[in-house]
Every structure is written in C-alpha cells, then in structure tokens.
Amino acid sequence: MFDTVTFCIKIHDDSAWDPSKWDNGAKRYAGEVAKIRRLRSGSFDPTLKPVRVWHEVRRGFLCVEASLPRLVNGHNIVEMEESDVGITIARLDALLAWAFVDHSLLDRLPSVRTWSVRRTDVLFNFRSRRYGFRAVREALVNLQPTGRMKAHRIERETVYFRGAGRSYRKRIEIAIYDKRAEVLAHDPAHHLLAEGIMRIEVRLFSQDSIRKAFGKDRPPRFSEIATVPACRRVVLDALARLHVRPGLESILIGFDSLAKRVGPRAARRLWPYAQRRASSPAREVGADLGLSPATRRRYDRELRQAGLYPAAVAVSGILEELAEALRSGAMAAAEVPPRTNRLPRASIP
C-alpha cells in the first residue's frame, strides 16, 4: 500500500509552539534559505523518532513525514492493510497534540487524514507462486523504461527508473529491488520476513504527480487515496511504462520465442528442460529429466546463445502473474474508476 508519506497543511498561527519541543533550523527552497522548526518527536515516544515534523515558517506549511508501515509493525517489510491506516493516523495525531502549548489550536487543526499529500511511496510486495525467485528477480530488474525515463541498476538486485530530464526526475521514480537483500543490509533481524519478496515502489514527489497518478481533478487528501485498490492501480499503471529487455522475451511468450530463435525441432528438445528451469536449479532439473551434467550444460549454453536466460523461460510469463496479482486487488472495490489508458501489449499482457 504505502511506505513513506509526507502530509502538509497550511497554518499561520505562530503562537502555539512549545519551544522545549521544537528546534530551529533551515531549509533551502529554490536557492533561498528559509527558517523552519523541527519537532523532537523522539521525546514523545522513542518509536516515533524516525517521524519528521516541521513547520515551514516562510511558506506557512506544517508537514509530517513518516514510513506508515513502521508505525504499525516497526519495519516496512510487510505491506500495511487498510485497517492499519487508522492506527497510523491516530499515532501522528497524538504526536501533534503533544507538540503544542496552546491546545486550542488543535480545535482548528484537522486530523492528518484530511491533509494534502506532498509525497508518497506506493508499494507492492510480489512473491511469485509459479517461478523461482532468481528468475523473477532477473526478469523484473532487467525491465527497460520507455518515454522520458532512464534506468539505473545496482548489482543485478535493484533498478531505479527516473526521469531523464532534471525537472522531470523529481516528480516520479519507480524502484524494483530484492527486499531481502536490503533487509539483510539494514535490518538483519527481520530478514526471514523478506524472503522471496521483490518490492515494487512508485515514488511520487509532488502534489501534481500524486493527483495524476490517482486520477484526481485536484491534489487529493490522504483519505481520498488510502485504499488498496487505488494503490494497486498506481503500481499497475507505472509498470505500463516499462517493457521487456531484448533477450528476455521468453518471460512473456515462452515456447514461441524459443522456436523462433533455435527452430521448432531444437525448441521441442529444449523446451521441457527450459520450462522446468523457471522454478528449479539446473542440477535438480537434470536429475528429473535424466540428463547428464554435460547435456545439462549444453542445454544451458544453447539457451544463452539464443539470447535467452534459461531460468526465465516459461509457458505463462512472470509479468503476467504480477499483473494478475495487481489487478485482483485493483478490481476489488467498485469505487475505483476504470483506467483510461491500456497497458502496452509488449509490457504486461
């Protein structure tokens, strides 16, 4: 559903701050340094220390930024449910109530639920039930951007798709990465929870980007976008911007791609092996099919020479399964408006 969200509301009352709970600071806006106040959130509750609260003195915005799953679970590995939204909002509202001296201000300050959203990270955890994790990671990390985006890959575990232009780059980013690898590096105690997860995040960095992504006529309040179907739709539409890297078409079309590359006769010989390699290691597949180690290595070599990754060859595609998982959530509620743009055929069938 969500990871990091930045909530903002316009507020000009400057008399309600408790100076013992706020630090003065500065932030740069369009090349100009402006004064801000930052809340010492850890003084209220140590578990809320990562929550950032600040008041932009010059522009008059009160902002709260938090990783919502961390407020519920203490980590951001497991996706939060719609039922968790109320818990996160209650904790943030309680933090704000603690922050002020003049509590009469709170009578005029609405719940964070109704604030505008300046930035949000929409996420989806993908665990394949059909294919091995290695094949899934290879397929998703090797997707290619279309249009005004470019890819940045890190160690075949992570890929970021960002805008190619300076102004466009700040509006949207698509991140696809091995969640277990990230957790092992930063929070190893929870690594078992992240086993087999490929995380897909759509990071929206402006109110206009959020409005367009969620199909709204104006910048939405948080309560207007905090549903699982709406978030799944955003991720599905973001994936429509991507296409399959040359050499990995078999993820989508399987046997037909193999036959075109090696010929029908060789394809019939290689297909049983290639199909099983989608979910099992080469040694295990070779034992099941009664292949010698030399034959197994030759089959792998033939598939690579044909420009195909053996563990990614399958009858139905990895991206097909991903799209099905997203659509099953996106179609769950009738109030979600129908999509206005169709997925490119080359991207997700």
Side-chain angles (χ1 to χ4, degrees), residues 117-118 171 205-213 219-220:
V117 182
R118 181 183 290 182
R171 296 204 297 265
F205 295 106
S206 70
Q207 289 185 330
D208 193 52
S209 297
I210 296 168
R211 176 187 65 79
K212 291 178 180 177

PDB file of all heavy atoms in Angstrom, residues 117-118 171 205-213 219-220:
ATOM      1  N   VAL A 117      -1.300  15.596   0.496  1.00  0.00           N
ATOM      2  CA  VAL A 117      -0.142  14.711   0.427  1.00  0.00           C
ATOM      3  C   VAL A 117       0.861  15.313  -0.554  1.00  0.00           C
ATOM      4  O   VAL A 117       0.552  15.492  -1.731  1.00  0.00           O
ATOM      5  CB  VAL A 117      -0.548  13.297  -0.011  1.00  0.00           C
ATOM      6  CG1 VAL A 117       0.669  12.384  -0.035  1.00  0.00           C
ATOM      7  CG2 VAL A 117      -1.617  12.732   0.912  1.00  0.00           C
ATOM      8  N   ARG A 118       2.048  15.630  -0.056  1.00  0.00           N
ATOM      9  CA  ARG A 118       3.082  16.240  -0.893  1.00  0.00           C
ATOM     10  C   ARG A 118       3.968  15.191  -1.550  1.00  0.00           C
ATOM     11  O   ARG A 118       4.498  15.398  -2.637  1.00  0.00           O
ATOM     12  CB  ARG A 118       3.945  17.182  -0.050  1.00  0.00           C
ATOM     13  CG  ARG A 118       5.024  17.889  -0.831  1.00  0.00           C
ATOM     14  CD  ARG A 118       5.894  18.763   0.069  1.00  0.00           C
ATOM     15  NE  ARG A 118       5.164  19.931   0.561  1.00  0.00           N
ATOM     16  CZ  ARG A 118       5.719  20.862   1.338  1.00  0.00           C
ATOM     17  NH1 ARG A 118       6.997  20.750   1.695  1.00  0.00           N
ATOM     18  NH2 ARG A 118       5.010  21.893   1.751  1.00  0.00           N
ATOM     19  N   ARG A 171       9.675  14.237 -10.096  1.00  0.00           N
ATOM     20  CA  ARG A 171       8.243  14.001  -9.996  1.00  0.00           C
ATOM     21  C   ARG A 171       7.875  12.553  -9.730  1.00  0.00           C
ATOM     22  O   ARG A 171       6.917  12.275  -9.032  1.00  0.00           O
ATOM     23  CB  ARG A 171       7.547  14.496 -11.268  1.00  0.00           C
ATOM     24  CG  ARG A 171       7.662  16.002 -11.472  1.00  0.00           C
ATOM     25  CD  ARG A 171       6.552  16.536 -12.329  1.00  0.00           C
ATOM     26  NE  ARG A 171       6.556  15.997 -13.672  1.00  0.00           N
ATOM     27  CZ  ARG A 171       7.123  16.573 -14.721  1.00  0.00           C
ATOM     28  NH1 ARG A 171       7.761  17.717 -14.562  1.00  0.00           N
ATOM     29  NH2 ARG A 171       7.071  16.038 -15.921  1.00  0.00           N
ATOM     30  N   PHE A 205       6.659  12.556  -6.080  1.00  0.00           N
ATOM     31  CA  PHE A 205       7.330  13.608  -5.325  1.00  0.00           C
ATOM     32  C   PHE A 205       6.660  14.978  -5.402  1.00  0.00           C
ATOM     33  O   PHE A 205       7.257  15.960  -4.990  1.00  0.00           O
ATOM     34  CB  PHE A 205       8.778  13.744  -5.806  1.00  0.00           C
ATOM     35  CG  PHE A 205       9.617  12.534  -5.524  1.00  0.00           C
ATOM     36  CD1 PHE A 205       9.970  11.663  -6.535  1.00  0.00           C
ATOM     37  CD2 PHE A 205      10.049  12.254  -4.245  1.00  0.00           C
ATOM     38  CE1 PHE A 205      10.745  10.540  -6.290  1.00  0.00           C
ATOM     39  CE2 PHE A 205      10.830  11.139  -3.982  1.00  0.00           C
ATOM     40  CZ  PHE A 205      11.176  10.289  -5.004  1.00  0.00           C
ATOM     41  N   SER A 206       5.455  15.057  -5.915  1.00  0.00           N
ATOM     42  CA  SER A 206       4.768  16.344  -5.945  1.00  0.00           C
ATOM     43  C   SER A 206       3.271  16.114  -5.890  1.00  0.00           C
ATOM     44  O   SER A 206       2.781  15.036  -6.231  1.00  0.00           O
ATOM     45  CB  SER A 206       5.129  17.125  -7.220  1.00  0.00           C
ATOM     46  OG  SER A 206       4.554  16.510  -8.361  1.00  0.00           O
ATOM     47  N   GLN A 207       2.551  17.145  -5.471  1.00  0.00           N
ATOM     48  CA  GLN A 207       1.100  17.020  -5.400  1.00  0.00           C
ATOM     49  C   GLN A 207       0.495  16.792  -6.778  1.00  0.00           C
ATOM     50  O   GLN A 207      -0.484  16.056  -6.913  1.00  0.00           O
ATOM     51  CB  GLN A 207       0.505  18.278  -4.758  1.00  0.00           C
ATOM     52  CG  GLN A 207       0.794  18.404  -3.267  1.00  0.00           C
ATOM     53  CD  GLN A 207       0.104  19.588  -2.640  1.00  0.00           C
ATOM     54  OE1 GLN A 207      -0.122  20.607  -3.283  1.00  0.00           O
ATOM     55  NE2 GLN A 207      -0.244  19.478  -1.375  1.00  0.00           N
ATOM     56  N   ASP A 208       1.079  17.397  -7.789  1.00  0.00           N
ATOM     57  CA  ASP A 208       0.549  17.216  -9.142  1.00  0.00           C
ATOM     58  C   ASP A 208       0.758  15.788  -9.625  1.00  0.00           C
ATOM     59  O   ASP A 208      -0.121  15.202 -10.264  1.00  0.00           O
ATOM     60  CB  ASP A 208       1.208  18.208 -10.102  1.00  0.00           C
ATOM     61  CG  ASP A 208       0.493  18.283 -11.436  1.00  0.00           C
ATOM     62  OD1 ASP A 208      -0.745  18.481 -11.437  1.00  0.00           O
ATOM     63  OD2 ASP A 208       1.145  18.126 -12.481  1.00  0.00           O
ATOM     64  N   SER A 209       1.924  15.205  -9.321  1.00  0.00           N
ATOM     65  CA  SER A 209       2.177  13.812  -9.697  1.00  0.00           C
ATOM     66  C   SER A 209       1.214  12.872  -8.986  1.00  0.00           C
ATOM     67  O   SER A 209       0.706  11.907  -9.571  1.00  0.00           O
ATOM     68  CB  SER A 209       3.621  13.423  -9.357  1.00  0.00           C
ATOM     69  OG  SER A 209       4.532  14.186 -10.098  1.00  0.00           O
ATOM     70  N   ILE A 210       0.946  13.145  -7.711  1.00  0.00           N
ATOM     71  CA  ILE A 210       0.012  12.316  -6.947  1.00  0.00           C
ATOM     72  C   ILE A 210      -1.395  12.449  -7.519  1.00  0.00           C
ATOM     73  O   ILE A 210      -2.120  11.458  -7.667  1.00  0.00           O
ATOM     74  CB  ILE A 210       0.043  12.724  -5.465  1.00  0.00           C
ATOM     75  CG1 ILE A 210       1.430  12.433  -4.876  1.00  0.00           C
ATOM     76  CG2 ILE A 210      -1.030  12.010  -4.672  1.00  0.00           C
ATOM     77  CD1 ILE A 210       1.668  13.040  -3.518  1.00  0.00           C
ATOM     78  N   ARG A 211      -1.779  13.668  -7.852  1.00  0.00           N
ATOM     79  CA  ARG A 211      -3.104  13.888  -8.438  1.00  0.00           C
ATOM     80  C   ARG A 211      -3.284  13.099  -9.732  1.00  0.00           C
ATOM     81  O   ARG A 211      -4.287  12.400  -9.931  1.00  0.00           O
ATOM     82  CB  ARG A 211      -3.296  15.387  -8.721  1.00  0.00           C
ATOM     83  CG  ARG A 211      -4.598  15.720  -9.429  1.00  0.00           C
ATOM     84  CD  ARG A 211      -4.647  17.188  -9.826  1.00  0.00           C
ATOM     85  NE  ARG A 211      -3.644  17.529 -10.823  1.00  0.00           N
ATOM     86  CZ  ARG A 211      -3.764  17.269 -12.125  1.00  0.00           C
ATOM     87  NH1 ARG A 211      -4.843  16.641 -12.576  1.00  0.00           N
ATOM     88  NH2 ARG A 211      -2.821  17.618 -12.958  1.00  0.00           N
ATOM     89  N   LYS A 212      -2.297  13.169 -10.617  1.00  0.00           N
ATOM     90  CA  LYS A 212      -2.388  12.468 -11.888  1.00  0.00           C
ATOM     91  C   LYS A 212      -2.362  10.954 -11.694  1.00  0.00           C
ATOM     92  O   LYS A 212      -3.103  10.220 -12.350  1.00  0.00           O
ATOM     93  CB  LYS A 212      -1.231  12.901 -12.801  1.00  0.00           C
ATOM     94  CG  LYS A 212      -1.326  14.341 -13.281  1.00  0.00           C
ATOM     95  CD  LYS A 212      -0.128  14.713 -14.129  1.00  0.00           C
ATOM     96  CE  LYS A 212      -0.220  16.163 -14.605  1.00  0.00           C
ATOM     97  NZ  LYS A 212       0.987  16.564 -15.396  1.00  0.00           N
ATOM     98  N   ALA A 213      -1.488  10.479 -10.806  1.00  0.00           N
ATOM     99  CA  ALA A 213      -1.350   9.036 -10.607  1.00  0.00           C
ATOM    100  C   ALA A 213      -2.640   8.417 -10.069  1.00  0.00           C
ATOM    101  O   ALA A 213      -3.008   7.299 -10.450  1.00  0.00           O
ATOM    102  CB  ALA A 213      -0.192   8.747  -9.661  1.00  0.00           C
ATOM    103  N   PRO A 219      -5.265  18.177  -6.163  1.00  0.00           N
ATOM    104  CA  PRO A 219      -4.409  17.431  -5.237  1.00  0.00           C
ATOM    105  C   PRO A 219      -5.256  16.768  -4.150  1.00  0.00           C
ATOM    106  O   PRO A 219      -6.036  17.447  -3.464  1.00  0.00           O
ATOM    107  CB  PRO A 219      -3.497  18.519  -4.654  1.00  0.00           C
ATOM    108  CG  PRO A 219      -3.420  19.546  -5.736  1.00  0.00           C
ATOM    109  CD  PRO A 219      -4.784  19.556  -6.373  1.00  0.00           C
ATOM    110  N   PRO A 220      -5.139  15.459  -3.975  1.00  0.00           N
ATOM    111  CA  PRO A 220      -6.059  14.743  -3.072  1.00  0.00           C
ATOM    112  C   PRO A 220      -5.658  14.840  -1.608  1.00  0.00           C
ATOM    113  O   PRO A 220      -4.495  15.028  -1.268  1.00  0.00           O
ATOM    114  CB  PRO A 220      -5.951  13.300  -3.562  1.00  0.00           C
ATOM    115  CG  PRO A 220      -4.559  13.203  -4.102  1.00  0.00           C
ATOM    116  CD  PRO A 220      -4.246  14.552  -4.695  1.00  0.00           C
TER     117      PRO A 220
END
